[in-house]
Amino acid sequence: DGGITQSPKYLFRKEGQNVTLSCEQNLNHDAMYWYRQDPGQGLRLIYYSQIVNDFQKGDIAEGYSVSREKKESFPLTVTSAQKNPTAFYLCASSIVGVRGVRKLFFGSGTQLSVL
Amino acid sequence: QQQVKQSPQSLIVQKGGISIINCAYENTAFDYFPWYQQFPGKGPALLIAIRPDVSEKKEGRFTISFNKSAKQFSLHIMDSQPGDSATYFCAASWKTSGSRLTFGEGTQLTVNP
């Protein structure tokens, strides 16, 4: 059963704490992404990686960190420097399909809340 | 900097009616315009997409209309059904960005029975 698995589904962060969100894919996709979703603001790109051991900042990278040590895994750490971490976090991977169709496959998300 | 503007923020339609969601973009380098559908508690999924070399694309009850000169595109859902109730996002990307997408703010569609 191929797809993207995000865990946990719900996560709570205490003040000053770093938390890590897991993202695993078995689609053999090279590129992976982290988006943050807030009501009324759409999806904003945090970090993305087009190949193992390489990643780039997106539009809102401050207070976040990532690693890409394996093709299948792209964990996101929300650090204590992120002052407003409450949001729905979405991981995605992508292929370039027929006629250059660029399709993102999303996981089911992690809801992060601050205690 | 928001490069894709989406409206309305929310939309209520009666069953069988037409739902219309609009998007406008600024970056003329965009060359791929997908729409994603998201149900509560789930990740978005690709619904339909268009390139600027055509003015319209239809897949079943879903149609994208594209106006290159106005830098606008819209999603039309014909014969809207309660099962279409979801959040819809327009997006855009340019060739050298790979699959990196810029998303609109989203539209929450409710189709009443």
Side-chain angles (χ1 to χ4, degrees), chain B residues 5-6 13 16 21 26 31 40 42-43 52 55 62 64-65 74:
Chain B
K5 298 291 291 182
Q6 183 172 347
V13 174
I21 304 170
E26 301 168 2
D31 71 340
K42 301 294 184 184
S55 60
F62 300 91
I64 301 179
S65 297
S74 59

Side-chain angles (χ1 to χ4, degrees), chain B residues 21-39:
Chain B
I21 304 170
N22 301 298
C23 283
Y25 63 96
E26 301 168 2
N27 190 341
T28 56
F30 287 145
D31 71 340
Y32 177 69
F33 301 89
W35 286 87
Y36 280 77
Q37 179 189 55
Q38 182 183 32
F39 293 105

Side-chain angles (χ1 to χ4, degrees), chain A residues 9 33 35 37 39-43 45 48 50 57-59 88 90 94-96 99-109, chain B residues 2 9 31-32 34 36 38 41-46 51 53 87 89 93-106:
Chain A
K9 192 169 181 62
Y33 309 78
Y35 283 90
Q37 184 175 6
Q41 295 195 49
L43 280 67
L45 183 64
Y48 64 105
Q50 296 183 310
K57 293 181 179 180
D59 301 315
F88 190 54
L90 287 159
S94 72
I95 57 168
V96 177
R99 292 191 66 241
V101 171
R102 304 157 215 158
K103 181 176 180 179
L104 287 182
F105 293 79
F106 283 90
S108 293
Chain B
Q2 183 65 42
Q9 187 173 7
D31 71 340
Y32 177 69
Y36 280 77
Q38 182 183 32
K42 301 294 184 184
L46 179 65
R51 295 189 171 280
D53 54 345
T87 300
F89 294 96
S93 71
W94 60 100
K95 194 172 185 179
T96 56
S97 72
S99 295
R100 177 177 174 173
L101 294 175
T102 298
F103 285 87
E105 300 95 325

Side-chain angles (χ1 to χ4, degrees), chain A residues 4 23-35 45 47-52 54-56 68 70-74 91-96 102-106, chain B residues 97-101:
Chain A
I4 298 182
C23 178
E24 302 279 332
Q25 56 104 353
N26 60 6
L27 300 169
N28 200 33
H29 290 170
D30 288 314
M32 296 187 74
Y33 309 78
W34 275 104
Y35 283 90
L45 183 64
Y47 269 98
Y48 64 105
S49 168
Q50 296 183 310
I51 196 168
V52 174
D54 187 46
F55 49 83
Q56 284 76 42
R68 187 86 188 275
K70 298 187 301 181
K71 187 175 185 178
E72 303 79 16
S73 179
F74 192 41
C91 178
S93 67
S94 72
I95 57 168
V96 177
R102 304 157 215 158
K103 181 176 180 179
L104 287 182
F105 293 79
F106 283 90
Chain B
S97 72
S99 295
R100 177 177 174 173
L101 294 175

Side-chain angles (χ1 to χ4, degrees), chain B residues 53-100:
Chain B
D53 54 345
V54 296
S55 60
E56 185 175 282
K57 182 174 182 180
K58 184 176 181 179
E59 290 184 2
R61 296 184 294 109
F62 300 91
T63 300
I64 301 179
S65 297
F66 187 84
N67 185 330
K68 188 174 181 178
S69 61
K71 293 189 287 185
Q72 295 176 346
F73 59 109
S74 59
L75 176 69
H76 297 236
I77 306 175
M78 312 301 287
D79 187 26
S80 298
Q81 299 297 313
D84 297 330
S85 297
T87 300
Y88 293 81
F89 294 96
C90 62
S93 71
W94 60 100
K95 194 172 185 179
T96 56
S97 72
S99 295
R100 177 177 174 173

